[in-house]
Amino acid sequence: MLLNRPIPFSFLLGQIRYEALGVFVFANLMFALRHYVGLEYLSIPLAIPALMGTCISLLLAFRTNQAYERWWEARVIWGGIVNDSRTLIRQLLTFLPLDTTSRSAVQTMARRQIGWCYLLGQTLRGQPVEKLIQTYLPEEEQATMLSAAHRPLAVLQAHADQLREWYRAGQLTDIQLAQVDATLSRLTDAMGRCERIKNTVFPKTYTFYLQVFIILFTAMLPFGFVESLFFVEVPLVTLIASAFFLIEKSAIQLQDPFENRPTDTPMTAIAEGIAGSLSQLTGAFVVEQPTELSKYYKL
């Protein structure tokens, strides 16, 4: 997630470097044809590209709004994961007997839940998770988790298996079991909603058509400048077109919040916050995964 700090120009330019270079070369070519080859008639009224630019601006506003809604939905889901993770451990601390065995089991549950948060984030980003499993999950569960096709789901099932053991041992009543299971169900639902965002592709035709319109607008723009802008024609065309391309690129990045990019939902940072909260609740020290440090974003 980009922070409220100065963003390096290199990051912004890196998003559109090929488009900006292409526009710069094209604008110089048109400038040479019009002013040095004698093809001054290659001109159109400036109102035509201005009208097209207005239409594209409206489309870009709608496009960016839809992309931000996807990003914000992902952030809301992870906010719910924070709340439900805390609720899960707090419920267990409240319902279970205050003996050493139960407290140790809750600490194991807390470590497993922290591992699930990191595991879900890394799975959504397509990153390796073997080290996380070895760090946070009990040794007797690791082989099962490593062989599971859907590892975050397997971790939640391990939670459910533990609840069943407590219930059969008479440590949880029917009502208490139902309340804790409802919390697990919300975590499962949150995981599914993240996977829906991850696996639902933003309509490619919409992106393609918008890119075509921006290219057409950029191609028309050099022909609309008048002689009074003789020496600033190329820089202006490059800057105006780059602004449109940059907004469109920003929307593309926001629409996919689980791609291990600076614009991602900060799942690792959120998991670190959950680790701190659950450590406080259980009184146990848990290993936190170091977040990649950056001056302008966090993952």
Side-chain angles (χ1 to χ4, degrees), residues 20 23-29 31 218 221-222 225 229-243:
V23 172
F24 180 76
V25 172
F26 177 76
N28 274 283
L29 177 61
F31 179 85
T218 302
L221 198 56
F225 283 94
L229 298 177
F230 185 84
F231 292 107
V232 296
E233 176 180 327
V234 173
L236 277 179
V237 170
T238 304
L239 287 174
I240 294 172
S242 296

